[in-house]
Amino acid sequence: MRKQIIFIGLSGLVIGIGVSLKVKKLNNRINENKELAEKNRIQFTLINQWLKLKQNGGSICRYLSENGYKKIAVYGIGYIGERVLCELENSDIKIAYGIDKRADGIASSIDIFSLNENLPEVDAVIVSEPFYFGEVEPLLKEKLDCPILSLEEIVYES
């Protein structure tokens, strides 16, 4: 009888630990999905505002020119970063290079550096991904002595 009670107690403990681990894993997945949803919402809002800017005759190029930025780098060469490169491609703004944590895996017409490399001087860096701006800005400020601009800020101020 005593062995049965110990067995039942240990079984309950093992089941409880298993359930606890599954709940923790589920909570982690929920938090990851919430973060991804927020990132996507911020990106959508940015792209929507950028489209409004273009429909009203504004552009990122105009903002950069008016503020004296002639030679820039772009941080984040994902979907939005590629759009920035395309918009600036045939303009008076020179895109010196890109910066991305996946620098080795990106094929591009410009040089792509990682944050671990020496970054050539530019007039400004545009961070294309607003979700990560707060995380990336201090890292870029350690490497470069130029303004670090959020694409979101440029689009909303233009």
Side-chain angles (χ1 to χ4, degrees):
M1 177 78 165
R2 184 174 176 171
K3 287 183 181 181
Q4 286 178 324
I5 293 173
I6 291 172
F7 177 75
I8 291 171
L10 288 175
S11 297
L13 179 64
V14 169
I15 291 170
I17 290 171
V19 168
S20 177
L21 291 174
K22 285 193 181 273
V23 167
K24 185 175 183 177
K25 188 175 181 179
L26 182 60
N27 282 335
N28 287 342
R29 182 173 275 161
I30 288 169
N31 289 334
E32 288 170 5
N33 287 338
K34 282 182 180 179
E35 185 174 296
L36 181 59
E38 179 63 8
K39 177 182 172 185
N40 289 337
R41 184 194 65 75
I42 290 169
Q43 286 178 333
F44 173 80
T45 304
L46 170 63
I47 296 299
N48 186 55
Q49 187 65 29
W50 191 357
L51 182 56
K52 286 181 187 178
L53 172 66
K54 291 190 74 67
Q55 289 171 335
N56 291 321
S59 73
I60 296 170
C61 298
R62 181 177 299 146
Y63 176 92
L64 295 170
S65 292
E66 288 173 356
N67 288 283
Y69 304 126
K70 294 178 170 91
K71 182 179 174 185
I72 62 127
V74 175
Y75 179 91
I77 312 299
Y79 295 119
I80 296 174
E82 287 176 359
R83 300 290 61 81
V84 172
L85 296 178
C86 286
E87 181 156 330
L88 299 177
E89 195 171 52
N90 295 316
S91 73
D92 293 338
I93 309 299
K94 178 177 177 9
I95 306 162
Y97 56 90
I99 310 163
D100 199 287
K101 62 184 172 191
R102 301 170 293 123
D104 291 338
I106 297 175
S108 179
S109 60
I110 62 170
D111 291 331
I112 308 293
F113 295 95
S114 76
L115 273 174
N116 298 329
E117 298 178 82
N118 289 328
L119 303 176
E121 287 300 319
V122 289
D123 296 331
V125 176
I126 297 175
V127 177
S128 68
E129 178 53 67
F131 189 76
Y132 298 112
F133 183 78
E135 177 183 322
V136 169
E137 181 188 30
L139 300 174
L140 289 168
K141 282 187 173 186
E142 287 178 13
K143 304 281 288 183
L144 294 165
D145 186 27
C146 68
I148 311 301
L149 309 171
S150 167
L151 177 61
E152 185 175 40
E153 179 182 317
I154 293 170
V155 167
Y156 278 94
E157 286 185 13
S158 296

